[in-house]
Amino acid sequence: MSVAKKMFASQLPTAFNKHGFPAYTRSEEEQYIQTLLTNTLGSTFYAGAGELLEDAAALHTVMAGKNPEFMAKALVFARNEGLMRLQPLFGLAILSAHRPDLFAKVFPSVVRIPSDLSDFLTILKGLGRGEGGRAVKRQVNRFLANVTEYWALKYNGRGRGYSLGDAIATAHPKPQDLQQQALYRYLRGQEANLALLPQVEALEQLKRAETEAEQIAWIGKGRLPYETVTGAIKPTRAVWEALLYQMPTFALLRHLNALDRAGVFENRTNLDYVAARLTDREALRKSSILPFRFAAAFRQIQRPELRDALREAVELTFGHLPDIGDNTAIFLDVSGSMDGEYLQIGSVFALALYKKTNGSSLFWLFDTEVIHAMPSRHDSILTQADRIHARGGTDTGAPVRGLIKQQKRVDQIIIITDEQQNSGSPFYTELANYRAKINPNVKAFIVDISPYRHAMVPPQDANTFYIYGWSDQVLSYIAQTVKGYRTMVQRVEAIHFDS
């Protein structure tokens, strides 16, 4: 092979994006991480749910045959650090048919709660796998051995393809004692000794309670989950107040509007309690809430005290972010295809990065033009994110051309985008121009929050890094890579299984 071919052939576009613009194909391992961390199997601007499902199924199958060890590690990574559910469960179902040994190792780290089990079994059935065979049944049995009364009340049924009762009927686990036997019978809808199941007995008494006071008493005695209570009775304000003090942090966030409509926050004590919970750093860490959830709640709730609490919650969520260096350019794609959740999470990420540079970085919004946003270091991330709106087409090269035109030298370029160029000149073309004219050593970080698999930059570019996902860990990976850490593929490869 000639020197010219070695140097330049690998840099030529190898694919086309949704608009027919030149793009690149990156490694299957990287595409797999992207699918796990960004593909929620819901329709997007450029692809319907059916197309995304087919693409994901094909990639899961390829990885199971080509690199099952990497696949297993990636499933654990996506479920626990990426905070995704459906794609890791989908991959786990396919892995079970190819490598039962690896499947068994990672099952407990991917199927963590009963709704995971329900969706996993539903996926297996949808794939025509029935009960999945002995390897699957063995893991399901181990999971069911640890089902508690609380889980039984919170997760049984709930409109999923498989209830816990269905799972018990499928796997036939052997109860270890009389209490577990009673629990299994209850979940199967059979007559059970409720004296051995005080929480279940409290629920049954709640259903028969005739007064609000009786309802509240049984809720407290059984510490009944809010999902169970709201499914059994129509909550009054007093009942919502009783549930308030038992809700996990994520449940509080999701139900702020319902609680407000019910009048719960007319009581200042309740309002102060929720505000304190939402701004509890340790509770936020344990709850592992995707940052865009705060932005969504912020847009729905109008009560000033709660909006302030949400503002503080996001600041706390990103308070641990390592330094990324002051000499950074942050570019946020605000084109029409980013509208909705993509822009919500992208705006939060971009502003968090900007604040971490103490306001010394460039912060530009772009569609086919570039806007110097000049955000505040003192105003909250959520307040400023709420002012950013989608518009226009996409020219990913536009902000880099702006750097060249203004002769601005930066050490890092961070671009948050769905990568769907539809006008102008490609990002990689302008990045090459910038390296030739301004800074040959500039690092580029592409934060991709979409499931489209065509990339803006070829994999051979050693100074460009792809970061995928919706969790706050995305920004930590940028900071770690700035300091010479590793790519996401290398991060997954470094995962070790317990023997």
Side-chain angles (χ1 to χ4, degrees):
M1 183 183 293
S2 70
V3 174
K5 188 171 183 179
K6 285 182 180 179
M7 291 181 64
F8 296 105
S10 64
Q11 307 303 313
L12 295 175
T14 56
F16 297 94
N17 72 7
K18 298 290 183 178
H19 284 284
F21 266 66
Y24 300 88
T25 301
R26 297 180 73 85
S27 73
E28 286 171 338
E29 285 76 14
E30 190 167 325
Q31 291 179 54
Y32 192 58
I33 292 173
Q34 178 184 16
T35 292
L36 290 174
L37 295 180
T38 64
N39 188 347
T40 60
L41 292 175
S43 294
T44 67
F45 192 89
Y46 290 108
E51 179 183 346
L52 293 174
L53 179 62
E54 289 179 8
D55 285 350
L59 194 50
H60 284 309
T61 303
V62 166
M63 290 304 300
K66 176 187 173 185
N67 196 345
E69 289 82 6
F70 180 86
M71 179 182 186
K73 293 177 179 182
L75 296 177
V76 173
F77 176 80
R79 180 68 184 94
N80 294 277
E81 295 193 41
L83 307 183
M84 291 291 148
R85 288 186 60 255
L86 275 182
Q87 282 295 350
L89 293 170
F90 190 8
L92 186 69
I94 291 177
L95 182 64
S96 69
H98 289 76
R99 285 290 300 271
D101 57 327
L102 289 174
F103 161 80
K105 284 185 177 181
V106 302
F107 183 94
S109 298
V110 179
V111 177
R112 297 176 54 184
I113 56 178
S115 54
D116 292 343
L117 180 66
S118 173
D119 288 339
F120 170 74
L121 293 173
T122 300
I123 291 168
L124 269 183
K125 185 176 181 180
L127 292 173
R129 295 276 313 286
E131 297 177 1
R134 284 181 294 179
V136 170
K137 188 175 291 188
R138 188 178 302 116
Q139 295 305 315
V140 172
N141 269 313
R142 288 176 178 171
F143 183 93
L144 292 173
N146 295 306
V147 169
T148 63
E149 274 190 83
Y150 180 83
W151 272 7
L153 295 177
K154 183 174 181 179
Y155 293 105
N156 195 42
R158 300 190 60 195
R160 295 184 179 274
Y162 273 82
S163 66
L164 280 171
D166 294 331
I168 291 168
T170 296
H172 306 293
K174 294 182 179 180
Q176 301 302 306
D177 53 37
L178 290 177
Q179 185 182 38
Q180 194 171 71
Q181 182 184 57
L183 185 60
Y184 287 173
R185 290 185 62 82
Y186 171 75
L187 288 169
R188 290 290 312 280
Q190 299 169 347
E191 185 176 343
N193 182 1
L194 298 189
L196 298 173
L197 306 172
Q199 281 192 292
V200 172
E201 186 175 33
L203 172 60
E204 296 306 315
Q205 293 290 348
L206 171 69
K207 294 175 182 178
R208 295 191 287 269
E210 297 181 354
T211 67
E212 187 180 73
E214 288 179 305
Q215 291 174 339
I216 292 171
W218 285 114
I219 290 170
K221 184 175 182 179
R223 292 196 59 78
L224 299 179
Y226 73 94
E227 303 99 327
T228 301
V229 173
T230 56
I233 63 173
K234 184 176 181 180
T236 62
R237 171 177 167 173
V239 168
W240 274 117
E241 287 181 330
L243 292 172
L244 174 67
Y245 292 87
Q246 298 173 198
M247 282 187 178
T249 304
F250 186 30
L252 282 176
L253 183 67
R254 289 179 57 199
H255 289 82
L256 288 179
N257 245 345
L259 292 162
D260 201 15
R261 288 196 304 270
V264 170
F265 299 133
E266 300 302 322
N267 182 325
R268 186 73 201 193
T269 300
N270 295 336
L271 185 60
D272 291 344
Y273 168 78
V274 171
R277 283 287 302 281
L278 291 175
T279 55
D280 183 322
R281 188 188 299 271
E282 184 62 17
L284 290 171
R285 185 189 65 79
K286 289 181 178 179
S287 62
S288 299
I289 300 171
L290 290 170
F292 88 95
R293 302 284 189 188
F294 295 104
F298 187 76
R299 292 186 173 185
Q300 293 170 358
I301 199 75
Q302 297 303 316
R303 192 172 286 272
E305 298 91 341
L306 294 178
R307 287 171 70 87
D308 283 344
L310 291 170
R311 291 183 181 101
E312 186 177 346
V314 170
E315 304 293 328
L316 291 170
T317 297
F318 293 105
H320 65 281
L321 182 64
D323 291 334
I324 61 172
D326 296 343
N327 200 21
T328 299
I330 301 166
F331 303 146
L332 173 63
D333 183 350
V334 295
S335 62
S337 61
M338 288 284 288
D339 196 22
E341 289 179 347
Y342 288 177
L343 191 56
Q344 284 182 358
I345 190 61
S347 299
V348 170
F349 280 177
L351 288 160
L353 286 167
Y354 179 76
K355 285 200 166 189
K356 198 60 186 179
T357 64
N358 297 313
S360 62
S361 58
L362 299 176
F363 186 96
W364 294 354
L365 310 179
F366 73 93
D367 47 17
T368 55
E369 299 177 351
V370 175
I371 303 167
H372 296 239
M374 294 183 290
S376 167
R377 288 192 297 118
H378 305 292
D379 206 349
S380 75
I381 290 171
L382 281 189
T383 297
Q384 297 183 84
D386 198 41
R387 299 182 190 132
I388 298 175
H389 303 286
R391 64 177 206 183
T394 312
D395 180 1
T396 57
V400 188
R401 287 198 305 276
L403 290 180
I404 297 172
K405 184 178 181 179
Q406 298 180 34
Q407 295 290 293
K408 290 187 178 293
R409 185 183 179 90
V410 297
D411 296 323
Q412 287 95 224
I413 293 173
I414 301 173
I415 182 170
I416 302 171
T417 177
D418 65 355
E419 294 197 89
Q420 294 306 301
Q421 180 107 7
N422 58 23
S423 65
S425 57
F427 174 80
Y428 192 56
T429 299
E430 300 303 340
L431 179 62
N433 288 338
Y434 183 82
R435 285 171 172 163
K437 296 177 180 180
I438 309 294
N439 183 1
N441 299 313
V442 67
K443 291 183 178 179
F445 298 88
I446 300 171
V447 181
D448 193 335
I449 51 182
S450 73
Y452 317 125
R453 285 161 56 188
H454 296 137
M456 298 193 303
V457 178
Q460 294 81 7
D461 186 329
N463 276 329
T464 300
F465 305 88
Y466 266 83
I467 315 288
Y468 305 101
W470 291 16
S471 85
D472 61 322
Q473 291 298 314
V474 164
L475 304 189
S476 293
Y477 293 130
I478 294 176
Q480 291 162 356
T481 306
V482 165
K483 297 181 182 302
Y485 187 57
R486 51 167 74 107
T487 66
M488 272 194 157
V489 169
Q490 291 170 323
R491 169 67 183 86
V492 169
E493 289 173 337
I495 292 174
H496 294 286
F497 299 134
D498 293 333
S499 56

